[in-house]
Amino acid sequence: MRRLVVVSNRVEVAGKKQAGAGGLAVSIQSALEAHGGLWFGWSGEHAAKTSGRVKTHSVENVTYATLDLSTKDYDQYYLGYANRAIWPAFHYRLDRMKFHREDYEGYQRVNARFAEKLVPMLQDDDLIWIHDFHLIPLASELRRRSVKQPIGFFLHIPFPVPEILTALPGHQELVKELCAYDVVGFQTEIDLHAFHSYIEREVQGQVLSNGIVKANGHSFFAGAFPVGIYVENVSALTKDSKNSATAKKMAESLHERPMIIGVDRLDYSKGIMARFHAFEHLLEASPELQEKCLTLIQIAPLSRSKVKEYRELRESISTAAGRINGRFSEYNWVPIRYINHGFKRRTVLGFFRASQVGLVTPLRDGMNLVAKEYVAAQDPENPGVLVLSKFAGAAHELDGHSLTVNPYNTEEIADAMKQALAMPLDERKTRWSGMMKTLRRNDITAWREKFIGALQEAPYSAY
Ligand code: F6P
């Protein structure tokens, strides 16, 4: 078996959990554990001056290699072009996009540094798999340094339609850099279609019916590879949540009252504000749910707090939670439990199982593995209902079984919550089994094997 070399912005070293690493870390960890190999990226640390040394650490069949960033690199590459320009633009939030030339230069500079540090660690037979929007230029930088091994790229976030993408300064270079890969993977057919449109309209490239794209003098494969979850692992951890004192205390604290749960990094793409407004609307329109002391638990660990937009979001969401709680709370009931820190995975899965509704309403999301894990954590004999945004990648697989909503329409979300809370057991079971079939078919193994399979077929230059 060829060695797998994974590169991502953050590296989650086994046993040293970084806060907020999210679905990407879980997916990569599981791909690497199954295959063995090297995981290379940023350590999560930054300082005015760094040694530039790559630190390595091996756990079983995986070697973790990390480097620190200088504060300038962190500001320009991570906070700057990646999170203030690409992130909002790719999530259709041009109103939040901020562009500075020096940020773009920092982004290119850090990608060049990653390439320079990675090259001496590569072996001839490696398969190189690069992840996410921070590292789009990396293949070009590696090729510039004579790397010949197959290089694939997987985008965990949405890929916007050309009308949006062309508003991002640097879009021409980004797409050119994407065309340097052998395999380019997206979460959904919608993202793939948006990429194809750009290729055909903006660079006069060709999209063949077998998935091959010819553009910028290179042929490569572009496809949709929806990220899945490790269903058995989620089920086992959920069973184990019975031993979690926190999950038990949380369930006791509800006194068998109904509960709705949301779990998201505190990010403007997640639609938390609209969700709170929908919950307020629901309580207002349904006094019987006030009598039943319906509770919304929103877990929202802080994220990217150095970016102004994220600090402002924190302010406005806290204010909204306080206002709604002030309006409806009683001496023995607080309707929204709003929590700004994360919990252990098995504890969150225990919370999922204790809830009647999983509320996953991002305004735009690449996939959203919370939606999938919510479903896999349910009790087959008494499953909860998933209310899911039509703009989450997961909706392309779960629609028809989830209650799918427009996350901008707060009344529609409120109606869906009400419908979910009143849904008969038979219907809940039918919807749940439908979703579980999909989760098992498109699980994490299928994702990994499909992508690595495509990468093993490279090069595609003969097409
Ligand atoms: O899924 C998108 C993503 O940006 C990942 O690349 C990252 O691991 C996660 O969200 C958390 O974001 P950050 O690394 O900026 O905290």
Side-chain angles (χ1 to χ4, degrees):
M1 193 158 54
R2 297 171 76 170
R3 187 176 74 146
L4 185 62
V5 174
V6 169
V7 190
S8 66
N9 174 51
R10 282 184 199 274
V11 171
E12 187 161 320
V13 178
K16 293 190 195 168
K17 194 165 172 31
Q18 283 183 22
L24 174 142
V26 177
S27 331
I28 294 181
Q29 187 74 52
S30 109
L32 269 171
E33 274 166 14
H35 205 277
L38 173 70
W39 187 356
F40 179 95
W42 176 39
S43 61
E45 303 293 329
H46 62 92
K49 270 205 166 162
T50 58
S51 67
R53 223 165 47 82
V54 176
K55 291 178 207 141
T56 57
H57 173 82
S58 296
V59 180
E60 294 174 3
N61 57 352
V62 182
T63 300
Y64 301 85
T66 56
L67 76 162
D68 299 346
L69 289 182
S70 72
T71 303
K72 185 176 168 196
D73 287 345
Y74 169 76
D75 284 346
Q76 297 180 344
Y77 149 79
Y78 173 74
L79 296 179
Y81 194 65
N83 280 316
R84 285 201 201 95
I86 301 185
W87 178 272
F90 278 40
H91 286 84
Y92 290 72
R93 292 301 301 269
L94 295 177
D95 57 321
R96 300 219 167 208
M97 186 180 79
K98 299 251 166 5
F99 174 75
H100 297 290
R101 275 197 201 118
E102 59 274 23
D103 290 348
Y104 177 73
E105 283 156 20
Y107 177 80
Q108 296 291 346
R109 184 175 65 241
V110 170
N111 272 273
R113 172 124 12 92
F114 267 43
E116 180 195 317
K117 300 288 177 186
L118 180 61
V119 168
M121 307 184 79
L122 294 175
Q123 299 168 6
D124 289 349
D125 209 25
D126 283 342
L127 293 172
I128 306 170
W129 189 1
I130 294 164
H131 290 257
D132 233 355
F133 60 101
H134 314 84
L135 300 175
I136 293 172
L138 193 50
S140 303
E141 292 293 345
L142 290 169
R143 294 285 183 237
R144 206 165 283 151
R145 289 165 178 76
S146 306
V147 169
K148 301 275 183 293
Q149 294 86 330
I151 313 178
F153 177 83
F154 183 77
L155 183 68
H156 288 255
I157 65 173
F159 191 86
V161 292
E163 288 77 2
I164 298 284
L165 183 55
T166 49
L168 171 68
H171 66 93
Q172 299 94 333
E173 291 77 4
L174 287 181
V175 174
K176 200 166 171 194
E177 287 155 354
L178 278 175
C179 294
Y181 285 88
D182 294 302
V183 176
V184 178
F186 299 94
Q187 295 274 23
T188 65
E189 293 290 336
I190 301 273
D191 301 310
L192 177 64
H193 189 251
F195 177 68
H196 285 164
S197 306
Y198 188 105
I199 290 292
E200 288 173 337
R201 285 161 52 177
E202 302 291 325
V203 296
Q204 283 71 51
Q206 245 186 307
V207 177
L208 309 186
S209 55
N210 55 2
I212 305 295
V213 173
K214 290 170 175 277
N216 280 308
H218 187 224
S219 295
F220 58 100
F221 180 80
F225 302 83
V227 177
I229 58 167
Y230 189 176
V231 181
E232 283 70 32
N233 179 263
V234 172
S235 307
L237 274 174
T238 311
K239 281 196 189 118
D240 189 38
S241 69
K242 285 199 192 97
N243 303 319
S244 154
T246 313
K248 257 193 231 158
K249 281 191 212 151
M250 195 283 297
E252 281 163 18
S253 74
L254 288 170
H255 302 290
E256 300 193 353
R257 294 157 170 179
M259 189 259 275
I260 297 176
I261 190 163
V263 178
D264 313 78
R265 269 185 318 101
L266 191 62
D267 194 298
Y268 50 79
S269 64
K270 301 293 182 182
I272 300 173
M273 185 61 102
R275 199 178 298 176
F276 280 6
H277 288 150
F279 187 67
E280 179 176 24
H281 183 78
L282 177 66
L283 291 180
E284 191 178 70
S286 318
E288 72 285 5
L289 292 176
Q290 294 181 43
E291 269 158 38
K292 285 188 179 161
C293 297
L294 173 67
T295 299
L296 168 64
I297 297 192
Q298 176 63 55
I299 299 172
L302 300 181
S303 174
R304 304 175 190 165
S305 313
K306 295 259 162 46
V307 177
K308 187 168 135 257
E309 282 72 20
Y310 287 75
R311 287 199 302 277
E312 287 171 357
L313 177 79
R314 184 181 180 189
E315 278 296 311
S316 52
I317 292 190
S318 307
T319 306
R323 187 185 56 72
I324 298 167
N325 279 337
R327 180 173 173 200
F328 294 102
S329 283
E330 277 302 338
Y331 68 93
N332 59 351
W333 170 52
V334 177
I336 302 182
R337 297 186 190 178
Y338 173 54
I339 305 167
N340 280 145
H341 64 80
F343 291 85
K344 281 191 189 141
R345 208 146 158 258
R346 77 163 186 184
T347 307
V348 175
L349 294 171
F351 289 181
F352 284 167
R353 195 155 172 125
S355 69
Q356 283 65 55
V357 183
L359 196 53
V360 184
T361 55
L363 303 179
R364 196 64 67 166
D365 213 335
M367 176 50 64
N368 199 303
L369 293 183
V370 168
K372 293 187 170 181
E373 293 201 338
Y374 178 82
V375 173
Q378 294 309 300
D379 175 357
E381 297 309 318
N382 186 22
V385 180
L386 177 67
V387 173
L388 180 61
S389 160
K390 67 189 217 181
F391 299 124
H396 297 276
E397 292 164 85
L398 302 180
D399 189 22
H401 301 292
S402 59
L403 291 182
T404 308
V405 294
N406 172 359
Y408 292 92
N409 185 342
T410 51
E411 291 176 5
E412 190 179 308
I413 302 174
D415 288 351
M417 285 191 268
K418 192 162 184 174
Q419 187 188 342
L421 288 164
M423 193 179 282
L425 179 61
D426 277 357
E427 184 179 348
R428 282 190 276 128
K429 281 185 172 175
T430 312
R431 287 176 181 269
W432 179 79
S433 334
M435 291 193 275
M436 284 304 286
K437 254 190 217 148
T438 310
L439 295 190
R440 290 205 175 94
R441 193 177 55 241
N442 294 349
D443 69 356
I444 191 78
T445 310
W447 174 68
R448 181 187 72 236
E449 286 181 353
K450 199 175 159 203
F451 193 95
I452 294 177
L455 196 51
Q456 271 165 336
E457 295 291 312
Y460 289 92
S461 43
Y463 290 88

